[in-house]
Amino acid sequence: MPRNNSYLALFFKSIPVGLANTLPGVSGGTLALVLNIYETLINAIKEIKIKKLFVIGLGAAVGVLFGSAVITDLYQNQPLLVNYFLFGLVITSAHSTYKKIGHLSFFKLLVMVLAFALALFFAREIQFGFLNAKGFMLFFIAGFFGSVAMILPGISGGTLLILMGVYHPVLNAINNLDFLILIVFGAGVAAGLLVFAWLFSYLLQKHQKEIMVVLTGLILGSSAAVFPTQFNISGLAAFAAGAVLIIILEIIGQNT
């Protein structure tokens, strides 16, 4: 990946990554891959590079604020068109990982199908009945496991927060600037990022092609969360817009 990501470019690339984490069915990690900053993100977390983390965090925060204030309202008013748009976005983003898997053997295809099935399970929003934590502990745990989705392409942070029952409370905390909840949730996110960044960094270094197979399956499976429920002509235009956006972002990621 390019090593010349300037801090300004890193800031602007981090905005859609943060925005994606507010949307059910869309993975911030996927957009980090599309924008070619995934390894930069993982290494910055693993090595605790304060300056890069600050720039990425600032950009992501802008994206989160925009997503919680604007996109979620749009989702409520035009859910079908937004789903078409997100479906096109998610499906097209799988190209970013698929092109890195090399020869598609039967074993790789089998692994991809299993990863697809796992993402499909999460996309169906089956509630975590075993999660009995309440109050601030619930927000910390949700932040910890939600951080996995923030850096793991194909698993939606928004969907995981829905499963844990904190999606709307977290968005409300952002909109209302409830700093106590945000600090507890953020502490969980920080702890999770530190733990999982080391694991993902190791896997990417040792088994990159195999990881890309898994990620391709996860991304394709996660599209079920935003699969349009009915046919709509305007929706096809929205689907195309989502696909084109990913193509543009991928070109930007390759050239900056």
Side-chain angles (χ1 to χ4, degrees), residues 25-27 29-35 83-100 116 153-154 212 215-224 226-228 235-251 254:
V26 183
S27 164
T30 299
L31 287 188
L33 266 175
V34 169
L35 288 163
N83 274 352
Y84 267 102
F85 174 80
L86 295 179
F87 188 64
L89 188 149
V90 174
I91 289 292
T92 309
S93 65
H95 174 258
S96 297
T97 52
Y98 181 78
K99 67 183 182 181
K100 298 178 181 179
F116 176 90
M212 291 302 157
L215 296 183
T216 301
L218 289 176
I219 292 170
L220 292 174
S222 69
S223 66
V226 290
F227 186 81
L236 295 180
F239 175 90
V244 169
L245 177 60
I246 286 297
I247 293 170
I248 292 172
L249 290 177
E250 191 168 7
I251 292 172
Q254 291 172 350

Side-chain angles (χ1 to χ4, degrees), residues 56-250:
I56 293 171
L58 187 61
V62 171
V64 167
L65 288 172
F66 180 78
S68 61
V70 177
I71 301 299
T72 50
D73 287 340
L74 187 61
Y75 214 140
Q76 290 178 349
N77 295 326
Q78 296 288 343
L80 184 61
L81 289 181
V82 173
N83 274 352
Y84 267 102
F85 174 80
L86 295 179
F87 188 64
L89 188 149
V90 174
I91 289 292
T92 309
S93 65
H95 174 258
S96 297
T97 52
Y98 181 78
K99 67 183 182 181
K100 298 178 181 179
I101 68 177
H103 174 67
L104 185 61
S105 63
F106 175 77
F107 176 74
K108 287 181 179 179
L109 183 60
L110 179 61
V111 171
M112 190 184 299
V113 170
L114 292 175
F116 176 90
L118 176 64
L120 195 63
F121 171 80
F122 283 109
R124 290 179 63 83
E125 299 183 6
I126 300 172
Q127 295 292 322
F128 289 165
F130 61 85
L131 195 60
N132 296 317
K134 295 181 179 179
F136 290 121
M137 182 56 68
L138 175 60
F139 285 103
F140 180 86
I141 294 173
F144 184 85
F145 288 105
S147 69
V148 181
M150 295 176 188
I151 57 176
L152 179 61
I155 298 296
S156 164
T159 299
L160 274 185
L161 295 184
I162 287 174
L163 300 182
M164 290 182 274
V166 299
Y167 178 72
H168 291 294
V170 168
L171 287 187
N172 289 334
I174 294 171
N175 289 327
N176 298 325
L177 296 180
D178 189 332
F179 290 108
L180 189 55
I181 289 178
L182 293 177
I183 289 171
V184 173
F185 181 76
V189 169
L193 289 175
L194 285 172
V195 170
F196 295 114
W198 280 90
L199 174 61
F200 296 152
S201 177
Y202 171 81
L203 292 174
L204 281 172
Q205 289 176 4
K206 301 295 183 181
H207 307 284
Q208 186 181 48
K209 289 185 178 180
E210 290 80 3
I211 292 301
M212 291 302 157
V213 171
V214 173
L215 296 183
T216 301
L218 289 176
I219 292 170
L220 292 174
S222 69
S223 66
V226 290
F227 186 81
T229 55
Q230 54 185 285
F231 180 77
N232 184 287
I233 296 295
S234 299
L236 295 180
F239 175 90
V244 169
L245 177 60
I246 286 297
I247 293 170
I248 292 172
L249 290 177
E250 191 168 7

Side-chain angles (χ1 to χ4, degrees), residues 47-70:
E47 299 170 14
I48 314 181
K49 296 180 178 178
I50 302 299
K51 188 179 291 187
K52 282 189 176 180
L53 287 176
F54 176 77
V55 173
I56 293 171
L58 187 61
V62 171
V64 167
L65 288 172
F66 180 78
S68 61
V70 177

